[in-house]
Amino acid sequence: MRTPPPPLLPILRSQVQGELLALTYLDQESEFSLTELARRSGASLKSVHYEVDRLVEAGLLADRRMGQMRLVRANMSTPLAGPLVDLLAVTYGPLPVLEDSFAGVDGVASAYIYGSWAARYRGEPGPPPADVDVLVVGSADLDVLDDVAREAGGRLHRDVSIRQLRPHTWAAGSDPFVATVRSRPLVEIPVSESNEVPA
């Protein structure tokens, strides 16, 4: 059964394809195993294998073998690389860019993208998102969060706004803002355990 094109970038054939391209092209220096791509994209290993085969055949990804492991990376030698990086940054980019931006930021228990970008990512049709709304649960320094928003916004070529809530406010769920955010699509941003707020 054919899946509909992803609302974030309808010229792509699937959500998995968009996520694989974003993971590789927005981290051009890295190589990824298929298992890691499956874990980070939330897709099945079979789907990742299929899409990687197609992208390698099209010249968008490069691959090599290391023992039994197949490693893939962005093919930056293709003339499509530069425009593709720009296109992916403004569509699929927020998740990998924000994951990278939050690395090493203390006091972040969890972080989520909400609003229109999260809705498109989760498959809701609508206009392209103009900005990226981020919710941080924790006690991070607000100046550091402002720096994260500025840096990520520069990389994504769009505004990034970050709002922080204390863990007890998020857990209680009684705040009207929290109730609204929880009722709509959310995309969790992976944060390392070292960033978490002490218990």
Side-chain angles (χ1 to χ4, degrees):
M1 179 178 163
R2 184 171 170 80
T3 58
L8 276 175
L9 190 54
I11 61 173
L12 297 179
R13 65 183 305 278
S14 72
Q15 178 81 357
V16 174
Q17 186 182 66
E19 290 179 17
L20 297 180
L21 288 170
L23 286 167
T24 53
Y25 274 84
L26 298 177
D27 188 359
Q28 301 153 19
E29 304 302 315
S30 298
E31 288 185 302
F32 301 88
S33 70
L34 300 192
T35 303
E36 182 179 5
L37 288 173
R39 179 185 61 77
R40 291 187 63 180
S41 68
S44 71
L45 192 55
K46 181 179 178 182
S47 296
V48 168
H49 190 315
Y50 176 73
E51 291 294 352
V52 164
D53 284 347
R54 291 177 57 91
L55 293 169
V56 168
E57 185 178 328
L60 294 174
L61 293 181
D63 66 343
R64 70 180 181 97
R65 293 278 179 184
M66 191 171 74
Q68 296 290 327
M69 194 179 338
R70 183 182 185 192
L71 298 173
V72 298
R73 68 184 186 286
N75 180 8
M76 298 309 293
S77 66
T78 175
L80 297 173
L84 190 53
V85 168
D86 291 340
L87 191 57
L88 291 165
V90 297
T91 53
Y92 281 87
L95 194 53
V97 166
L98 286 164
E99 180 179 357
D100 182 53
S101 296
F102 278 116
V105 175
D106 292 328
V108 178
S110 56
Y112 306 90
I113 303 173
Y114 66 99
S116 59
W117 189 89
R120 297 301 86 74
Y121 185 84
R122 293 293 185 210
E124 287 188 11
D131 58 6
V132 180
D133 299 307
V134 178
L135 173 66
V136 168
V137 179
S139 59
D141 182 280
L142 295 179
D143 290 335
V144 172
L145 293 182
D146 285 344
D147 291 343
V148 167
R150 241 186 329 274
E151 185 265 341
R155 288 172 66 186
L156 296 169
H157 309 294
R158 64 176 63 195
D159 288 336
V160 173
S161 62
I162 298 178
R163 180 167 179 171
Q164 181 170 233
L165 293 175
R166 296 292 182 179
H168 66 273
T169 304
W170 177 248
S174 54
D175 180 273
F177 170 74
V178 172
T180 300
V181 167
R182 285 181 181 235
S183 72
R184 302 285 299 131
L186 280 175
V187 178
E188 186 166 8
I189 302 166
V191 293
S192 64
E193 291 181 9
S194 61
N195 295 357
E196 293 182 7
V197 179

